[in-house]
Amino acid sequence: MDSDSVDWQQLRLTEQGGFAGLLRGAELRAADLDTRQAGRIAKLLGQAQGAARQAPDYPDGQTLSLEVQTAAGPWSAKFDCADLPEALDELKSLLTLKPMKPGS
């Protein structure tokens, strides 16, 4: 694994907010993927971690939350959906975000 990658075990991506109160997400475990897929996601996570910034809090704002479990411990970041880094946009396109119940 190169230095721009994250040695991840599990991730959770949650999109929420907006006028309609959208709440959807996806969870993924590295162990459930082949090596190539897990490696691609590791690289995207490394890029996303480097681009992490606090999403502004405003009425009807739509955010994308990323929670990652690694061997070194968990980390998380929250992004404004209107200004997603390329890596997060690509990661989001690789996952199927499904409707979630509040509090899940």
Side-chain angles (χ1 to χ4, degrees), residues 12-71:
R12 180 179 181 147
L13 197 63
T14 308
E15 185 176 25
Q16 59 189 7
F19 179 73
L22 173 76
L23 180 59
R24 57 189 197 146
E27 291 187 23
L28 194 57
R29 291 172 7 111
D32 295 338
L33 303 174
D34 67 39
T35 306
R36 188 179 63 79
Q37 291 171 316
R40 179 65 189 142
I41 290 173
K43 186 137 184 93
L44 292 172
L45 290 173
Q47 292 169 0
Q49 190 175 34
R53 52 190 175 271
Q54 183 62 37
D57 189 21
Y58 55 90
D60 298 334
Q62 193 168 335
T63 60
L64 191 69
S65 299
L66 177 62
E67 300 169 41
V68 181
Q69 181 64 46
T70 71

Side-chain angles (χ1 to χ4, degrees), residues 9 11-12 43 86 99:
Q9 298 168 339
L11 71 83
R12 180 179 181 147
K43 186 137 184 93
E86 281 185 43

